[in-house]
Amino acid sequence: MEFHYSTYRLELKHTFTIARGSEDAADIVLVYFTKDGITGVGEAAPSDRYDEDCFSIVKRINRLTFDDIPDGGTLDEWLDAALPKAGGMRSLETAFDLALHDLYGKLNDISLSDYFGANSKKGCMTSFTIGIDEKDKIRAKVLEAEQYPLLKIKLGSDYDREIINTIRDVTDKPVRVDANEGWNLEQGKKMCDWLAQRNVEFVEQPLPADDLDDTARLREVSPLELIADENCIDSKNIPDIAYAFDGINIKLMKCGGLREAHRMIQMAKEHELKIMLGCMVETSVAITAAAHLSPLVDYADLDGNILTSNDPFDGVKVEDGMLILPDGPGLGVELHR
Ligand code: MG
């Protein structure tokens, strides 16, 4: 199997601010596996929250060989050979996993949603994310997001109520809130009560990941569902956090790709947790990959490509907020013509 990679800088339409910091661009790595003249594409979108960056990924890739991935093997055998090469860097595992799933789908003429038994070209509704910003800019962003029926609002700032009031001046559409670990228990209790009166659907990661017992205390009194993001990296976390949350946010770049994400979906259902699919700032390669699992879940926040101005790929589309999967085998993504 042949392998190559390239790096790419995704430019954001607006500076994107969350409780942890701001960014104007995101560096990603695209990887390609080729067999019998057919190429599968994958993507690593590393995050500093998990101590990963493009420089370390490229450094690692340059030390790797891929001759031991069995040409005639099954997809699981390919993944078992390739994923450990990432050395624990989950975004790089994801890149390998996506490229091999895409290649497998193309070689076997099956779309990944069919491969995972999703059996629908329609995913669920995705939210559109509004980062932390000044009031005027938030108002402008909400108006710009008019075609999205569902908003996700980043909180965990010093002026969370003003942000929500600003949004409610402009629109009454349902809102999901992501505090990105920005509150403590007392703030969380007050905010969840206050937000519950303002057409908010749920709250994502209200408290720091280390404050799991406090999160469980908040859950006992919160009128809103709590969804784990920073507390839920992969399927191993699910049994430990299920007592503190009502649901989990699965992201490919955290868990290491589609195979593990699918495992998380099954395990979350066993624990009666709601399931959301989330993303980083990513191209349509990784967003479309996650979208192939979206018919299997409750909520999606797959807008990382829409937040950028130079996505080089076409893949999943959003129509009236609904994710519409591409036709075609594998991921079904193509470079812009
Ligand atoms: Mg989040």
Side-chain angles (χ1 to χ4, degrees), residues 18-21 47-51 132 152-158 160 177-188 191 203-212 214-215 218 226-233 241 245 249 251 254 280:
I18 65 168
R20 272 191 295 278
S47 158
D48 356 345
R49 172 63 175 78
Y50 303 109
D51 297 321
I132 295 172
K152 172 163 150 176
I153 311 298
K154 293 288 194 178
L155 294 184
S157 71
D158 303 335
D160 286 349
V177 158
D178 187 355
N180 282 111
E181 312 178 275
W183 301 332
N184 58 32
L185 179 57
E186 282 316 304
Q187 289 169 313
M191 283 305 291
V203 172
E204 198 180 315
Q205 198 68 42
L207 310 190
D210 289 342
D211 296 351
L212 195 56
D214 272 354
T215 306
L218 175 59
L226 306 183
I227 307 288
D229 182 1
E230 286 84 347
N231 261 116
C232 189
I233 310 300
I241 63 158
F245 288 97
N249 182 355
K251 291 179 183 165
K254 286 190 300 187
M280 308 293 182

Side-chain angles (χ1 to χ4, degrees), residues 90 116 228-239 241 247-278 293 296-297:
R90 291 298 175 81
F116 286 109
D229 182 1
E230 286 84 347
N231 261 116
C232 189
I233 310 300
D234 60 25
S235 57
K236 286 197 293 295
N237 301 129
I238 293 175
I241 63 158
I248 60 166
N249 182 355
I250 299 174
K251 291 179 183 165
L252 297 175
M253 297 299 158
K254 286 190 300 187
C255 74
L258 286 164
R259 181 167 68 170
E260 174 63 13
H262 187 245
R263 199 180 285 148
M264 290 175 82
I265 289 172
Q266 291 167 314
M267 197 183 279
K269 285 183 177 170
E270 284 163 22
H271 283 82
E272 294 179 356
L273 290 164
K274 294 276 182 68
I275 306 163
M276 169 174 177
L277 283 167
L293 296 173
L296 303 172
V297 307

